Amino acid sequence: MERKETVSLFDTIATLLENKRYTTLRDILTTMNPVDIAAVFEDIQSEKTAILFRLLPKELAAETFVEMDEDTQQLLIHGFSDTELKEVIDELYVDDAVDLIEEMPANVVKRILRQADPQTRKEINEILKYPEDSAGSMMTTEFVILRPKMTVEEAIKRIRRTGIDKETIYTCYVSASDSTLIGIVTIKTLLLSEEDEVIENLMETNVISVNTLDDQEEVAQMFNKYNFLALPVVDRENRLVGIVTFDDAIDVMEEEATEDIQKMAAITPTTDKPYDRVGVFETYLSRIPWLLILMVSATFTGMIITGYEDALAASSAVFLTAFIPMLMDTGGNSGSQASVTVIRALSLGEIEFKDIFKVIFKECRVALLCGVSLAAVNFLKLMLFDRLVMHNEHITVLVAFVVCLTMVVTIFIAKFVGCTLPMLAKKLGFDPAVMASPFITTIVDAISLIVYFGIATALLHI
Amino acid sequence: MERKETVSLFDTIATLLENKRYTTLRDILTTMNPVDIAAVFEDIQSEKTAILFRLLPKELAAETFVEMDEDTQQLLIHGFSDTELKEVIDELYVDDAVDLIEEMPANVVKRILRQADPQTRKEINEILKYPEDSAGSMMTTEFVILRPKMTVEEAIKRIRRTGIDKETIYTCYVSASDSTLIGIVTIKTLLLSEEDEVIENLMETNVISVNTLDDQEEVAQMFNKYNFLALPVVDRENRLVGIVTFDDAIDVMEEEATEDIQKMAAITPTTDKPYDRVGVFETYLSRIPWLLILMVSATFTGMIITGYEDALAASSAVFLTAFIPMLMDTGGNSGSQASVTVIRALSLGEIEFKDIFKVIFKECRVALLCGVSLAAVNFLKLMLFDRLVMHNEHITVLVAFVVCLTMVVTIFIAKFVGCTLPMLAKKLGFDPAVMASPFITTIVDAISLIVYFGIATALLHI
């Protein structure tokens, strides 16, 4: 695997840099993938980064620059002369330039825009107008446009002439004179067709596109569903304004999955940086809000116990507290299973709000099966192990029944709450992932205690 | 969005099918994307599926067939004549044929293999030899091979002649006469170069490849890291045996993310079917094992409480049980935050086992910050609200101190356990995701109780 090689190569490169063996360094770097070179740059000592960067051929330099983290990029830009900066900017695809600008502080942005040529600057500013996380902000404006009346020969000539600056030439877009998108044609089709064939006879006219304002998560889902290489982005009048390529969609997919996972674990997603590049304080800030909220909510659970304390002590039923962790945990786990499954299904577009009753019906049946199985195991364990083997005289058949009935009811409520809350959240425009395990657990904890003490009061007269 | 259209179109198609309006149906279907047609097939009444399928033009029929779920595929194959089956099989790419075969029961597999032409059958059998979830089992054997001495003109001619059956023609592979992979060249490079240029001068020789036995998760990570369209698969002698295309890698990414999420929520991943296609009993089976394991482990937590019951009752300290839910929940949540973050970072390749001390050091500092903040809030709440406002006379400064000290220690241990266990699991060859929230919560529950009662015994002399 290449990844491991990067690691061992790093020491070699560091030593060569130390010894100023620039020709050898250049030879090594030019055989590497930009992603791996960028990783080396991120690890290298700061003052040496600029020297190393100047060794790279122009195109490779730009490709590497795009793959670096923002700290390294900023460091490099700081050291660049205006000419060097212009050279890098000129080589960037417009969508990469936009990504860069979105990450940089205002003074650096001004410098970048000043160095960009007027056409690029205009395109960058167009894309910057779209809301963050929209299809418009993900797209690039560099793609191949063909006309319906062109022949294959003309089309290929056009691609040869203009293709060098395009992010992809594999899907070409056919637009009418008013810029409306009327079809797409792949380079595969072009190459496998006769040279005098006309584009409008070859193009796919049933084009799936996204709107500039569509959410990036929806865009990523389209890529996942249809396996596109690129997806055209149109404005409200169906005019073609850009394309989103699959590499950006893959990034969004990973980002959204990470965000969902973080929210499910009560972490506020604040950054898309990898684990080893997030500072301690930043990590603390992303974790403390939910811990605080959940701690305060858990005190309510405590208050429920407090409410029953005297009753428990008076009727010598303190031993009932020993079942609290098991009932709470099982309820919490059952609830998370339902909520996490539903959240993931919502996020992959497998279910929608209109399916809520189907989902509830299914979860209730699963809850019944789980509840009855667990209660049965638990009843046997209480009767055979605790009573017979351990001679725990508190455990009567009635006590075991109270515990097991609580379990069935708790699991039922947990699964119900677990599947309903995320769907309601989605309907109300909140992110369903926030309704995941910890939140559900806290609600289910309180409910399970109320159920437990309620049943115990009724049947054991505590 | 196209997805919503599929839904409203479905009724139209059902009605047309009912009324036998086959010409209209054909016209509608041929304007649709195979993915959307497949969705219609999955929803249509079973006996009508075959009629509808016969309306599709041959190539579209095969593309649609690939996108269907296995139940619908099996239903169709059952209704196919041998000639119809052969037609579909001939149109499939080899990797799709392999996917199909892996899902079908043995008798259907035999029928499929009998209809495949000898060359395809040989290739299918080759791929079937590789272990499930390996790069070899994901790959296709249909790709464009070029020779180093070819000119661009010859290469393009070859692509035109053979490209129709290849899954991708956008990346072409250059191999020596012994099949060793020596370079890659994209069709973009070919089209933008002079016709008499020789391939070996154009090709990229620093090729990143995977081995046939590499795990599919690693393969997906490579796509995510390098943004490839396709990745060559080589055997141990560096001979090119196949390629993996990005669409398969995207599927693996989504699948792996779903699996991780399921494991984190104590669900045994048993299926990659979408939520609405998994039966109640199947769902039950995937959820009950962990619920059972965790329920049994939680009884140990209960036993800890039982162990302290008499002491609590004797020293009128039963009120201390009211803090148990808060301490356990906060510990559990802190632990999940750490474990889930580390699991995700491991799964994206951001950290490795060798980083374990760096990770522990970071998590400990975060734990300290979180612990002290939460303890401070809690101390104020106990002193100001419970004591002053609610006149709860149990709450002395010493009691508040015991609770807050337990909180700091518990969070510290929770974060430590939460980040260490997944990394150890990875090192030992287990899936780190299993070490997520529910498992950590159960361990942390027990630890927090031991810490709590330990501190309470020492300071409050219960």
Side-chain angles (χ1 to χ4, degrees):
Chain A
M1 300 287 300
E2 215 56 24
R3 198 162 184 285
K4 282 163 202 154
E5 275 180 37
T6 316
V7 178
S8 63
L9 247 180
F10 174 74
D11 296 330
T12 320
I13 291 175
T15 316
L16 288 171
L17 190 58
E18 202 60 48
N19 302 338
K20 305 204 168 119
R21 302 283 302 275
Y22 298 132
T23 325
T24 319
L25 271 173
R26 190 192 162 101
D27 287 348
I28 294 178
L29 290 176
T30 45
T31 68
M32 286 169 65
N33 186 292
V35 177
D36 296 319
I37 307 179
V40 171
F41 271 81
E42 289 169 13
D43 287 336
I44 224 82
Q45 269 179 300
S46 49
E47 66 265 39
K48 302 277 171 76
T49 319
I51 304 173
L52 205 56
F53 193 77
R54 288 195 186 102
L55 296 175
L56 298 173
K58 214 166 64 175
E59 199 183 333
L60 185 60
E63 284 169 12
T64 305
F65 187 78
V66 169
E67 301 291 344
M68 294 175 192
D69 63 17
E70 55 195 79
D71 297 341
T72 316
Q73 285 175 336
Q74 212 179 323
L75 196 81
L76 275 176
I77 293 180
H78 196 72
F80 280 165
S81 70
D82 280 352
T83 326
E84 282 175 319
L85 182 59
K86 188 174 168 44
E87 268 178 19
V88 171
I89 305 290
D90 283 351
E91 285 287 331
L92 294 184
Y93 291 120
V94 173
D95 59 340
D96 291 329
V98 170
D99 288 347
L100 177 67
I101 283 175
E102 283 174 340
E103 302 289 347
M104 292 293 125
N107 59 333
V108 179
V109 170
K110 271 194 203 140
R111 228 188 117 200
I112 294 173
L113 285 178
R114 221 182 306 127
Q115 296 310 321
D117 66 65
Q119 176 60 24
T120 312
R121 190 159 54 229
K122 194 169 150 265
E123 290 178 9
I124 291 175
N125 281 322
E126 279 299 316
I127 297 178
L128 283 173
K129 269 190 232 153
Y130 295 106
E132 208 191 342
D133 296 348
S134 70
S137 75
M138 284 173 83
M139 72 188 184
T140 180
T141 48
E142 293 155 323
F143 49 89
V144 179
I145 301 178
L146 302 176
R147 297 292 176 202
K149 298 290 178 203
M150 279 180 170
T151 62
V152 168
E153 196 184 354
E154 287 167 340
I156 291 182
K157 261 198 197 135
R158 180 176 192 140
I159 294 168
R160 287 202 152 144
R161 211 177 52 237
T162 63
I164 188 84
D165 292 326
K166 307 306 182 191
E167 184 151 354
T168 183
I169 62 163
Y170 301 145
T171 314
C172 303
Y173 299 86
V174 188
S175 65
S177 51
D178 63 349
S179 288
T180 346
L181 176 63
I182 51 178
I184 59 169
V185 62
T186 65
I187 200 130
K188 185 171 179 180
T189 309
L190 291 178
L191 279 178
L192 303 181
S193 302
E194 296 301 323
E195 293 202 327
D196 54 355
E197 190 72 73
V198 181
I199 297 296
E200 63 182 348
N201 301 332
L202 296 173
M203 68 187 185
E204 174 71 59
T205 51
N206 170 47
V207 184
I208 294 179
S209 60
V210 290
N211 192 280
T212 45
L213 298 179
D214 284 344
D215 189 79
Q216 62 171 4
E217 196 170 355
E218 279 176 77
V219 177
Q221 269 183 31
M222 303 272 278
F223 273 90
N224 188 26
K225 186 176 171 192
Y226 294 107
N227 293 331
F228 293 132
L229 276 177
L231 195 55
V233 183
V234 296
D235 65 10
R236 249 180 268 177
E237 281 76 39
N238 197 35
R239 280 185 307 239
L240 181 62
V241 290
I243 62 167
V244 176
T245 47
F246 80 102
D247 50 323
D248 298 314
I250 287 183
D251 291 344
V252 171
M253 270 179 233
E254 289 287 1
E255 207 182 288
E256 297 281 346
T258 304
E259 265 193 42
D260 276 6
I261 288 173
Q262 287 176 329
K263 284 182 197 149
M264 287 177 190
I267 299 168
T268 324
T270 48
T271 169
D272 51 2
K273 281 190 278 187
Y275 180 81
D276 50 338
R277 304 215 169 254
V278 185
V280 169
F281 195 69
E282 202 175 341
T283 308
Y284 161 76
L285 284 183
S286 71
R287 293 187 189 176
I288 195 73
W290 275 105
L291 283 183
L292 205 57
I293 294 171
L294 295 170
M295 181 183 81
V296 173
S297 349
T299 56
F300 291 104
T301 323
M303 280 161 69
I304 297 171
I305 298 185
T306 313
Y308 282 93
E309 254 163 31
D310 298 335
L312 288 174
S315 55
S316 312
V318 178
F319 70 93
L320 286 179
T321 51
F323 298 111
I324 292 180
M326 185 194 65
L327 291 171
M328 278 186 6
D329 278 4
T330 307
N333 290 333
S334 308
S336 332
Q337 287 182 333
S339 68
V340 164
T341 309
V342 166
I343 291 166
R344 184 68 181 159
L346 282 170
S347 152
L348 292 181
E350 294 170 359
I351 53 173
E352 289 172 64
F353 182 74
K354 68 175 176 55
D355 303 316
I356 189 164
F357 293 110
K358 263 194 337 213
V359 170
I360 291 177
F361 182 54
K362 178 173 165 189
E363 289 299 329
C364 288
R365 283 178 294 163
V366 174
L368 224 57
L369 282 173
C370 288
V372 171
S373 319
L374 292 181
V377 171
N378 201 36
F379 193 83
L380 284 175
K381 184 237 159 208
L382 287 175
M383 288 287 101
L384 297 179
F385 180 75
D386 294 62
R387 192 169 167 80
L388 282 182
V389 179
M390 302 296 285
H391 303 292
N392 185 336
E393 59 216 40
H394 290 310
I395 313 292
T396 61
V397 174
L398 195 58
V399 166
F401 182 70
V402 166
V403 172
C404 295
L405 184 61
T406 306
M407 181 152 280
V408 175
V409 176
T410 303
I411 292 177
F412 198 82
I413 297 177
K415 294 268 185 211
F416 178 80
V417 173
C419 73
T420 315
L421 283 190
M423 299 197 80
L424 288 179
K426 173 99 178 181
K427 179 70 182 173
L428 296 174
F430 296 110
D431 187 331
V434 173
M435 293 295 165
S437 325
F439 194 76
I440 300 281
T441 305
T442 308
I443 294 177
V444 170
D445 279 356
I447 293 176
S448 61
L449 281 178
I450 293 173
V451 170
Y452 184 39
F453 289 126
I455 293 178
T457 311
L459 297 182
L460 300 174
H461 313 291
I462 58 165
Chain B
M1 301 289 299
E2 215 57 23
R3 200 166 184 284
K4 282 164 200 152
E5 275 180 36
T6 316
V7 178
S8 64
L9 248 180
F10 174 73
D11 296 330
T12 319
I13 290 175
T15 316
L16 288 170
L17 190 58
E18 201 61 47
N19 302 337
K20 307 200 166 113
R21 301 283 303 275
Y22 299 131
T23 326
T24 319
L25 271 172
R26 190 191 162 102
D27 288 348
I28 294 178
L29 290 176
T30 46
T31 67
M32 286 168 66
N33 185 292
V35 177
D36 296 318
I37 307 179
V40 171
F41 271 82
E42 289 169 11
D43 287 336
I44 226 80
Q45 272 178 298
S46 48
E47 66 264 40
K48 303 279 172 75
T49 319
I51 304 173
L52 205 56
F53 193 77
R54 289 192 185 103
L55 296 175
L56 297 175
K58 215 166 63 177
E59 198 184 333
L60 185 60
E63 284 169 14
T64 304
F65 187 78
V66 169
E67 300 291 344
M68 293 176 194
D69 63 17
E70 55 196 79
D71 297 342
T72 315
Q73 286 175 335
Q74 211 179 322
L75 196 81
L76 275 175
I77 293 179
H78 195 75
F80 281 165
S81 70
D82 280 353
T83 325
E84 282 176 321
L85 182 59
K86 188 174 168 43
E87 269 178 17
V88 171
I89 305 291
D90 282 352
E91 286 287 331
L92 293 185
Y93 290 121
V94 173
D95 59 341
D96 292 328
V98 170
D99 288 345
L100 177 66
I101 283 173
E102 283 173 341
E103 303 289 347
M104 293 293 124
N107 59 331
V108 179
V109 170
K110 270 193 205 143
R111 231 190 113 199
I112 294 174
L113 285 178
R114 220 182 307 129
Q115 296 310 321
D117 67 66
Q119 176 59 25
T120 311
R121 188 160 55 231
K122 190 166 152 269
E123 290 180 9
I124 290 175
N125 281 323
E126 278 300 316
I127 297 179
L128 282 174
K129 269 189 231 150
Y130 295 105
E132 208 191 341
D133 296 347
S134 70
S137 77
M138 283 173 85
M139 73 188 184
T140 180
T141 46
E142 293 155 322
F143 49 89
V144 179
I145 301 178
L146 303 176
R147 297 291 175 203
K149 298 290 177 204
M150 278 181 171
T151 62
V152 168
E153 195 183 355
E154 287 166 339
I156 291 183
K157 260 198 199 137
R158 181 177 191 140
I159 295 168
R160 286 202 152 143
R161 210 176 53 237
T162 64
I164 188 82
D165 292 327
K166 308 303 181 192
E167 184 153 352
T168 183
I169 61 164
Y170 300 145
T171 313
C172 304
Y173 299 86
V174 188
S175 65
S177 51
D178 63 349
S179 288
T180 349
L181 175 63
I182 51 176
I184 59 168
V185 61
T186 65
I187 199 129
K188 186 172 178 178
T189 309
L190 291 178
L191 279 179
L192 302 181
S193 302
E194 295 301 322
E195 294 201 327
D196 54 356
E197 189 72 75
V198 181
I199 297 296
E200 64 182 348
N201 300 332
L202 294 173
M203 70 188 185
E204 174 71 59
T205 51
N206 170 47
V207 184
I208 294 178
S209 60
V210 290
N211 192 281
T212 44
L213 298 179
D214 283 344
D215 188 79
Q216 62 170 4
E217 195 169 356
E218 279 175 79
V219 177
Q221 269 183 29
M222 303 271 278
F223 274 91
N224 188 25
K225 186 176 171 193
Y226 294 107
N227 293 331
F228 292 132
L229 277 176
L231 195 56
V233 183
V234 295
D235 65 10
R236 251 181 267 176
E237 281 77 39
N238 196 35
R239 280 186 306 241
L240 181 62
V241 289
I243 63 168
V244 176
T245 48
F246 80 102
D247 50 322
D248 297 315
I250 287 184
D251 290 346
V252 170
M253 270 179 233
E254 288 287 359
E255 207 183 288
E256 296 282 345
T258 303
E259 264 192 45
D260 275 4
I261 289 175
Q262 287 177 329
K263 284 182 197 149
M264 288 176 191
I267 299 168
T268 324
T270 47
T271 169
D272 51 2
K273 282 191 277 187
Y275 180 82
D276 49 337
R277 305 214 169 255
V278 186
V280 168
F281 194 69
E282 203 175 340
T283 308
Y284 161 76
L285 284 182
S286 71
R287 294 190 188 173
I288 196 73
W290 275 106
L291 283 184
L292 205 58
I293 294 171
L294 296 171
M295 182 183 80
V296 173
S297 350
T299 56
F300 292 105
T301 322
M303 280 160 70
I304 298 170
I305 298 186
T306 313
Y308 282 92
E309 254 163 33
D310 296 336
L312 287 175
S315 55
S316 310
V318 177
F319 70 92
L320 285 179
T321 51
F323 298 110
I324 292 180
M326 186 194 64
L327 291 170
M328 278 184 8
D329 278 4
T330 307
N333 290 332
S334 306
S336 333
Q337 287 182 333
S339 67
V340 164
T341 309
V342 167
I343 290 165
R344 184 68 182 159
L346 282 171
S347 152
L348 292 181
E350 294 170 0
I351 51 174
E352 288 172 64
F353 183 72
K354 68 173 177 56
D355 302 316
I356 188 162
F357 293 110
K358 262 192 341 208
V359 170
I360 291 177
F361 182 53
K362 179 174 166 188
E363 289 297 331
C364 287
R365 283 178 293 162
V366 174
L368 224 57
L369 282 174
C370 288
V372 171
S373 318
L374 292 181
V377 171
N378 202 35
F379 193 83
L380 284 176
K381 185 236 158 208
L382 286 174
M383 288 287 104
L384 297 180
F385 180 75
D386 294 61
R387 192 170 165 81
L388 282 182
V389 180
M390 301 296 283
H391 303 292
N392 185 337
E393 60 217 38
H394 290 311
I395 313 292
T396 61
V397 174
L398 194 58
V399 166
F401 180 71
V402 167
V403 172
C404 295
L405 184 60
T406 307
M407 181 152 279
V408 175
V409 176
T410 303
I411 292 177
F412 197 81
I413 297 177
K415 294 268 185 211
F416 177 80
V417 173
C419 72
T420 315
L421 282 190
M423 300 196 81
L424 288 179
K426 174 98 179 185
K427 180 71 182 172
L428 296 174
F430 296 110
D431 186 331
V434 173
M435 293 295 165
S437 324
F439 195 75
I440 300 281
T441 304
T442 308
I443 295 176
V444 169
D445 279 356
I447 293 175
S448 60
L449 281 178
I450 294 172
V451 170
Y452 185 37
F453 289 127
I455 294 178
T457 311
L459 297 182
L460 298 175
H461 312 292
I462 58 165

